[in-house]
Amino acid sequence: MNRLLSLTIALALVPAIEAADFPQPTGAESARSFPNAAIGQLLFESGRYYYSGSGTAVRPSSVLTAAHNLWDARNGFSTDIVFRRGQYGATALSQQFASRIYVLAGYRENARRYSGESLRAFSYDLGALVFRRPVASGASAGWWANPALLRPGVETIAFGYGGEYHTGDDLLSVTSRAGYRPVLGSFFESDALYFEAGMSGGPVFGFDAEGKRYVAGVVVASSIDPFTGGVRILDTAAANFIRRYMK
């Protein structure tokens, strides 16, 4: 299972992978219409290097992402974290530096003991960024701690910024009806999806019976051999985390 961090240096494009549902650019218009406009690219420093990831404004002044974007056992907390909302091409709808960082209880302990690429760490791989002012003029994407939204046979859409087979400045999406299966705790996988490096922390949307879209998980892992896409679902622990630390 490969951890999803990528250097912000743009990588050369390569042919799309055919064996799984693979992320494709959404286009600027889609990336900048709600709820997609609540998604943004994260740029941050960890140790001596800069990396990229993804996140979603799910509260007016807070962004939900993967914990491994925000902390690792070697370098501690990431620094200089900027959220570039609606990033597409050379411009973003807004840009703001985070003022506070939170990671879900249990993530650091499991990442230290088993490594940040372990199933145990992925099961706690949830983080939050808080900002001094509203991220998207007070708007945010809806979320729902309901694993049933990610069950097989129901359409899901995952979003995030690439940096592996696409440049890192275009919002990517991957749609599937394969659903996700529980692997360990709150870490779920799908054998029919591939997520690019840089999509870590991006949202996985599910739909209710009326077709309304909700963030139901966060992209945390991917693997080429075999093809698997891993998400940290939103559950009761995630809901309590969001309500307590995000504003």
Side-chain angles (χ1 to χ4, degrees):
M1 187 60 62
N2 296 327
R3 193 168 163 189
L4 295 183
L5 292 177
S6 69
L7 290 171
T8 58
I9 298 172
L11 301 181
L13 299 179
V14 299
I17 298 170
E18 301 292 343
D21 290 323
F22 191 74
Q24 298 295 331
T26 61
E29 183 177 354
S30 176
R32 293 175 174 176
S33 60
F34 267 90
N36 294 354
I39 306 166
Q41 181 188 63
L42 294 180
L43 300 178
F44 55 94
E45 185 175 9
S46 180
R48 297 181 297 161
Y49 299 101
Y50 281 90
Y51 298 88
S52 67
S54 305
T56 313
V58 297
R59 285 288 180 93
S61 298
S62 299
V63 165
L64 187 67
T65 186
H68 74 246
N69 287 336
L70 310 182
W71 184 91
D72 73 63
R74 174 175 295 181
N75 300 306
F77 282 101
S78 302
T79 59
D80 296 328
I81 305 171
V82 61
F83 180 66
R84 305 175 70 180
R85 183 179 66 85
Q87 175 72 27
Y88 211 92
T91 61
L93 293 176
S94 63
Q95 178 172 299
Q96 192 173 166
F97 284 88
S99 60
R100 293 185 181 181
I101 304 172
Y102 298 97
V103 295
L104 184 67
Y107 177 74
R108 286 184 287 174
E109 292 80 359
N110 281 280
R112 282 194 188 103
R113 175 175 288 190
Y114 302 104
S115 92
E117 298 184 17
S118 67
L119 295 178
R120 291 180 182 274
F122 288 143
S123 187
Y124 293 88
D125 202 348
L126 206 64
L129 298 170
V130 178
F131 299 82
R132 290 189 175 89
R133 62 181 187 276
V135 175
S137 301
S140 58
W143 61 275
W144 189 3
N146 181 2
L149 296 178
L150 304 181
R151 68 188 183 277
V154 177
E155 183 173 285
T156 64
I157 307 178
F159 291 90
Y161 286 83
E164 188 175 1
Y165 302 108
H166 298 88
T167 62
D169 294 332
D170 298 338
L171 182 64
L172 307 178
S173 68
V174 54
T175 302
S176 177
R177 296 185 66 86
Y180 298 83
R181 68 181 189 281
V183 177
L184 180 68
S186 297
F187 178 63
F188 282 36
E189 282 186 337
S190 173
D191 295 328
L193 297 174
Y194 180 76
F195 298 133
E196 285 193 24
M199 292 182 71
S200 280
V204 181
F205 286 95
F207 297 84
D208 67 10
E210 298 178 352
K212 187 174 181 179
R213 191 195 300 182
Y214 294 91
V215 179
V218 170
V219 174
V220 296
S222 195
S223 174
I224 293 178
D225 186 17
F227 285 109
T228 54
V231 304
R232 202 296 178 183
I233 65 165
L234 298 193
D235 56 5
T236 300
N240 291 337
F241 175 74
I242 292 170
R243 295 187 181 109
R244 180 173 182 180
Y245 295 108
M246 304 179 74
K247 63 179 183 177

